[in-house]
Amino acid sequence: MSPDDHAYPPVGRARPHESGTTTVPSVCPHDCTSTCALDVERLSNTRIGRVRGSMRNDYTAGVICEKVARYAERIHHPDRLMKPLRRVGPKGSKQFAEISWNDALDIVAEQFIAKARQHGSETIWPYYYAGTMGLVQRDGINRLRHAMKYSRWFSTICVTLSDTGWIAGVGAKRGADVREVDEHSELVVIWGGNPVNTQVNVMTHAMKAKKRGAKLVVVDPYRTGTADQADVHLAVRPGTDGALAVGVMHVLFKEGYADWDYLRKYTDAPDELAAHVASRTPEWASEITGLSVEEIVSFARLYGQSKASFIRCHHGFSRSRNGAANMHAVTCLPAVTGAWQYKGGGALYGHTGMYPIDKTLIDGLDMVDTSIRDLDQSRLGPILTNDPAALKNGPPVTGMLIQNTNPAMVCPELELVHKGFKREDLFVCVHEQFMTETAAFADIVLPATMFLEHDDFYTASGHTFFQVAKAVIDAPGECRENHYVISELAKRLGAKHRGFDMSVWEIMDETLKVSKMWDAETNWQKGGQDFHLGFETSHFLDGFAWPDKKFRFKPDWAAYGGRGKEMPVLPDHFDVIDNATEDKPFRLVAAPARTFLNSTFTETPSSQKREVRPTALLNPDDCTAMGIVEGERLEIGNERGRTIVNAKPRAGQQKGVVVVEGIWPNRNFETGIGINALTSADPGWPNGGAVFHDTAVWIRKAS
Ligand SMILES: Nc1nc2c(c(=O)[nH]1)N[C@H]1C(S)=C(S)[C@@H](COP(=O)(O)OP(=O)(O)OC[C@H]3O[C@@H](n4cnc5c(=O)[nH]c(N)nc54)[C@H](O)[C@@H]3O)O[C@H]1N2
Ligand SMILES: Nc1nc2c(c(=O)[nH]1)N[C@H]1C(S)=C(S)[C@@H](COP(=O)(O)OP(=O)(O)OC[C@H]3O[C@@H](n4cnc5c(=O)[nH]c(N)nc54)[C@H](O)[C@@H]3O)O[C@H]1N2
Ligand code: SF4
Ligand SMILES: [Mo]
């Protein structure tokens, strides 16, 4: 079969359409909870113009971020990979020669077969993440994994801690709809996130509420663009949100803001909780969080007095060793005041658990063999440097296929990741849109399509629509979609599953049919299917998602295995974070930058220009005490690594907190290695999850 027979639309080619400029619908595929509905200006079969937020989706409501509005800059970038490449110089040297698709795929298959023969099938570890959130193009790699009994995937880099912490109390990954905020919320709390940078649509809705007179509170260790918009900014110490939430609950119970009728009907252990928080005073919380007693008490009163209070729980505050415990503590607040009962009240962390989609065909779930080891995505450094525990005492990883992720920039303990990628006995194939720092380590590089060049469908986390998107333009050069690579490798490896013989569109249609959802064409025509569950269910007024229907103040942490038994029984400050010490007096938050999306968009000139350079934001008093002036070169480091950044005093964060925004390319640092050289691959409690904002560091003037 030629590539063009393999899929409809023909691989790398959009459906036929009229010539001239038209506006066509699409969906943003990037790793962002907004999953915006887009209107794309199509200038020709091969070029796009402006990208706009669509009005057909009332969550997107016509607004998208600046980086995707300028997508033409990324999709038509002169540095896009166009041809398959074979490494001809040392690993990481970027010396490559062009090669045909057939030869490239043959080499990958031969290498995987040879490595598996030598070490067993678990020696191959397909490695991916959410560069595209499209379910077929992102997750098809798992079908190949399971068909070949390659090492399984323990996905930990993003949502593990936050999912665990949310589900521990609520029971399911869903919540109240942010669209309610516009008209109904009296108070909006943006907790542990910076949506001005990371999901602009939350701001659309929060600002509509604010215009009506609702109050906006932001809980974040530094003065973000989001905090700038707030009535109240609570600049906590990183990793102490559990203490803040518990201190707030103390006031809620003490001052009569607890709704006992609600508590008795909807929660598991309200009396125990009330007794427990009685000893956790605002003074106690102040000591841990660094906030004043007054700040804690007045926030508690504001929260208690507002019936319709909406907490938008973000991921940022879960990226600590105690992140799941902190997320759970925050979710206890609306259960104490009964805010769930009101339109515009309650909380949302994410909606993805609400879609009825059956992913068996996409992921090959009918072939899973649980006796095969799973490896922790975030522990790539220890894994590639042959740490026996990280490898679960199994064979070394000697073969990798990497799609949709750039671990040489985004993973913690980056020194180990790079050391591992240089191993001569490791064969790596990277399927990418650009010559990323990960692709530079590869033996074979394959050029990938972008979302406007292939079909796919998308769940969302921030809203409740399920959206289908069709290719808008033809793929440039020899770029091929992920599904093509997976299916072609399957043929060469002898992997058997019907999914490898279907087109993306066929996979979508069959998946939608078995899931009892609209078929792909209908979904596309109508601009997405809304799975909103209605007020009652989305506010858990028909019960929380547990057999006894009660919110859990006492989660069954032990059920998660790992170190669940070590966690506090009731919400508390769980002190397992990387606390500051005399040698490492600063706590580092490695926060997202506005115009980078993880490492994506670091290749576009306008983003590079806006973000300027790797910068350390410090409390002005710390700068004065250390004699540091703006722009000064600072060495920042710990036992894992060190790098150099430029100082910037910034009011609105506590002393002893340092913030470095953005996953800058390693090449942008004098040391040749970026901020993730300092972050740790330690798994969070109870059972894993990356801890990017939980890092003790020292800071010195660079020599
Ligand atoms: N522009 C841009 N957009 C992005 C991304 C990006 O890198 N850039 N990344 C995308 C991805 S993969 C994700 S998962 C989402 C994440 O998006 P969100 O869920 O919205 O979370 P973040 O904005 O990452 O949260 C970061 C904020 O959390 C704060 N924070 C860190 N530690 C703590 C803490 O202990 N307590 C509290 N209260 N706050 C803390 C940081 O200071 C920072 O301001 O964004 C996506 N969108
Ligand atoms: N310091 C620090 N580090 C972090 C974080 C942080 O806050 N601070 N956040 C963490 C989080 S939340 C996450 S989710 C991870 C994300 O880390 P990654 O998943 O690595 O995300 P990106 O850096 O955006 O890389 C995605 C890559 O996929 C490629 N890609 C996009 N679409 C396709 C496609 O259709 N096919 C193929 N083959 N490739 C495609 C893009 O070109 C890009 O290089 O980073 C983590 N790292
Ligand atoms: S806000 Fe998020 S989903 Fe929307 S266009 Fe930007 S990156 Fe895409
Ligand atoms: Mo993420």
Side-chain angles (χ1 to χ4, degrees):
M1 196 160 44
S2 84
D4 278 7
D5 293 326
H6 195 77
Y8 182 80
V11 173
R13 203 132 339 121
R15 283 182 176 64
H17 49 75
E18 59 286 22
S19 53
T21 302
T22 47
T23 298
V24 283
S26 187
V27 179
C28 180
H30 284 289
D31 190 357
C32 169
T33 59
S34 281
T35 319
C36 290
L38 306 177
D39 287 331
V40 181
E41 209 174 69
R42 180 172 55 196
L43 304 180
S44 73
N45 272 14
T46 55
R47 288 203 82 80
I48 64 155
R50 196 78 191 156
V51 178
R52 295 187 177 82
S54 171
M55 291 304 292
R56 73 179 176 275
N57 178 303
D58 58 357
Y59 182 76
T60 303
V63 179
I64 58 166
C65 64
E66 60 191 271
K67 53 199 181 302
V68 171
R70 287 194 303 260
Y71 215 76
E73 191 188 358
R74 183 162 196 271
I75 201 166
H76 302 310
H77 197 297
D79 296 343
R80 258 192 88 171
L81 291 172
M82 295 290 184
K83 299 210 178 229
L85 302 170
R86 180 174 59 86
R87 178 170 67 85
V88 293
K91 291 203 176 208
S93 66
K94 288 198 187 174
Q95 293 171 44
F96 290 98
E98 288 177 9
I99 178 175
S100 73
W101 265 99
N102 259 328
D103 289 351
L105 291 164
D106 286 349
I107 292 172
V108 179
E110 279 159 21
Q111 286 286 333
F112 282 7
I113 289 166
K115 304 273 186 198
R117 197 165 289 146
Q118 197 183 347
H119 300 284
S121 63
E122 289 180 334
T123 197
I124 311 295
W125 192 27
Y127 193 96
Y128 77 112
Y129 204 55
T132 171
M133 295 277 277
L135 302 183
V136 181
Q137 307 285 5
R138 185 188 67 191
D139 299 335
I141 193 171
N142 289 323
R143 197 182 327 115
L144 185 65
R145 177 197 314 281
H146 298 316
M148 296 304 295
K149 296 193 188 294
Y150 292 157
S151 277
R152 289 187 301 133
W153 185 241
F154 181 29
S155 174
T156 55
I157 212 160
C158 183
V159 296
T160 311
L161 286 161
S162 44
D163 276 10
T164 304
W166 174 271
I167 293 169
V170 169
K173 188 170 175 181
R174 56 183 172 84
D177 194 316
V178 173
R179 289 172 293 182
E180 290 175 18
V181 164
D182 302 10
E183 300 289 328
H184 301 285
S185 302
E186 295 161 54
L187 168 67
V188 180
V189 185
I190 294 181
W191 202 306
N194 180 13
V196 161
N197 283 14
T198 61
Q199 48 164 320
V200 62
N201 309 79
V202 166
M203 294 314 285
T204 311
H205 299 279
M207 295 316 279
K208 277 185 191 160
K210 192 157 184 269
K211 267 206 192 105
R212 268 193 303 107
K215 290 272 182 288
L216 177 62
V217 175
V218 171
V219 187
D220 198 296
Y222 78 113
R223 186 68 54 81
T224 59
T226 307
D228 269 338
Q229 305 290 327
D231 298 291
V232 179
H233 171 209
L234 297 172
V236 285
R237 286 194 187 116
T240 66
D241 301 83
L244 173 57
V246 171
V248 167
M249 284 189 263
H250 171 98
V251 179
L252 294 175
F253 279 108
K254 190 171 158 193
E255 300 192 0
Y257 296 116
D259 181 338
W260 278 99
D261 291 340
Y262 180 87
L263 280 163
R264 296 242 177 272
K265 185 166 175 203
Y266 284 105
T267 70
D268 65 340
D271 300 287
E272 278 177 71
L273 178 72
H276 165 74
V277 301
S279 64
R280 301 321 196 242
T281 61
E283 289 72 17
W284 167 86
S286 164
E287 195 63 34
I288 297 166
T289 59
L291 299 171
S292 69
V293 170
E294 221 261 292
E295 283 177 298
I296 296 166
V297 173
S298 61
F299 170 53
R301 288 182 182 148
L302 179 62
Y303 189 78
Q305 283 157 12
S306 322
K307 287 201 177 308
S309 58
F310 193 101
I311 304 182
R312 182 65 175 88
C313 296
H314 290 260
H315 301 84
F317 81 104
S318 75
R319 306 202 196 290
S320 286
R321 288 167 180 76
N322 61 1
N326 291 345
M327 173 65 88
H328 170 256
V330 171
T331 64
C332 293
L333 295 177
V336 171
T337 62
W340 284 110
Q341 295 163 104
Y342 309 100
K343 214 159 193 194
L348 175 69
Y349 151 59
H351 285 297
T352 37
M354 165 209 70
Y355 294 99
I357 187 148
D358 179 338
K359 291 190 64 216
T360 306
L361 175 59
I362 295 172
D363 286 66
L365 298 179
D366 44 355
M367 300 181 294
V368 176
D369 177 349
T370 51
S371 72
I372 301 291
R373 70 173 171 189
D374 62 357
L375 297 177
D376 184 334
Q377 171 187 24
S378 303
R379 295 185 58 71
L380 180 63
I383 286 168
L384 290 188
T385 50
N386 292 331
D387 172 326
L391 289 166
K392 300 203 161 160
N393 298 312
V397 169
T398 61
M400 296 178 82
L401 167 65
I402 302 180
Q403 285 183 320
N404 307 321
T405 183
N406 185 10
M409 279 169 65
V410 306
C411 265
E413 294 187 13
L414 219 44
E415 296 276 10
L416 293 184
V417 173
H418 288 199
K419 198 171 158 207
F421 273 133
K422 287 182 191 150
R423 264 174 44 206
E424 284 304 328
D425 65 328
L426 173 68
F427 173 84
V428 177
C429 169
V430 175
H431 183 207
E432 248 302 342
Q433 297 163 341
F434 289 96
M435 183 54 75
T436 59
E437 295 193 2
T438 306
F441 282 119
D443 299 282
I444 295 285
V445 178
L446 304 172
T449 45
M450 288 191 188
F451 74 107
L452 294 172
E453 300 151 0
H454 58 235
D455 297 343
D456 214 337
F457 56 15
Y458 304 85
T459 55
S461 182
H463 63 70
T464 54
F465 291 85
F466 186 89
Q467 300 173 86
V468 169
K470 294 181 185 178
V472 169
I473 56 171
D474 299 346
E478 295 180 24
C479 295
R480 297 272 192 256
E481 63 183 358
N482 291 3
H483 176 66
Y484 172 80
V485 170
I486 298 301
S487 304
E488 289 296 313
L489 282 177
K491 269 189 236 162
R492 289 166 172 80
L493 292 163
K496 297 274 177 271
H497 192 272
R498 353 188 256 108
F500 301 126
D501 302 318
M502 297 167 80
S503 70
V504 171
W505 196 262
E506 285 164 354
I507 291 177
M508 295 203 295
D509 249 342
E510 184 174 318
T511 296
L512 291 169
K513 194 168 172 198
V514 298
S515 309
K516 301 192 168 47
M517 296 160 73
W518 289 349
D519 65 82
E521 185 64 28
T522 305
N523 183 303
W524 183 79
Q525 293 276 350
K526 295 196 177 192
Q529 186 174 6
D530 191 351
F531 283 92
H532 187 252
L533 296 170
F535 174 72
E536 279 265 311
T537 302
S538 66
H539 284 247
F540 303 102
L541 298 180
D542 48 5
F544 287 88
W546 295 112
D548 66 359
K549 297 191 178 287
K550 297 202 168 180
F551 179 87
R552 292 185 172 177
F553 291 128
K554 289 168 72 179
D556 185 5
W557 295 117
Y560 293 95
R563 293 168 298 174
K565 285 197 293 292
E566 298 164 21
M567 295 180 72
V569 174
L570 285 154
D572 215 333
H573 175 55
F574 181 35
D575 194 7
V576 288
I577 55 177
D578 192 13
N579 282 305
T581 61
E582 214 169 295
D583 296 342
K584 295 181 287 176
F586 286 89
R587 295 263 298 143
L588 167 69
V589 172
R594 181 159 176 173
T595 58
F596 298 155
L597 201 154
N598 305 317
S599 76
T600 305
F601 297 95
T602 56
E603 67 281 336
T604 55
S606 63
S607 293
Q608 281 264 350
K609 191 166 161 223
R610 190 196 177 277
E611 302 302 335
V612 187
R613 62 184 174 187
T615 302
L617 306 174
L618 287 159
N619 179 295
D621 291 345
D622 280 335
C623 294
T624 309
M626 295 173 71
I628 293 168
V629 295
E630 176 148 5
E632 193 158 352
R633 288 166 56 254
L634 298 178
E635 190 178 282
I636 175 169
N638 59 20
E639 65 280 14
R640 286 177 287 274
R642 51 177 279 280
T643 191
I644 292 177
V645 288
N646 290 89
K648 192 168 191 172
R650 170 80 79 92
Q653 69 199 58
Q654 294 193 31
K655 282 195 274 185
V657 173
V658 55
V659 181
V660 177
E661 285 187 347
I663 312 178
W664 284 86
N666 297 299
R667 62 174 182 276
N668 286 106
F669 293 83
E670 283 177 43
T671 51
I673 193 119
I675 204 67
N676 279 327
L678 281 59
T679 55
S680 166
D682 287 357
W685 270 257
N687 191 27
V691 297
F692 288 108
H693 307 324
D694 186 4
T695 313
V697 296
W698 40 257
I699 292 177
R700 307 181 187 129
K701 294 181 171 219
S703 47

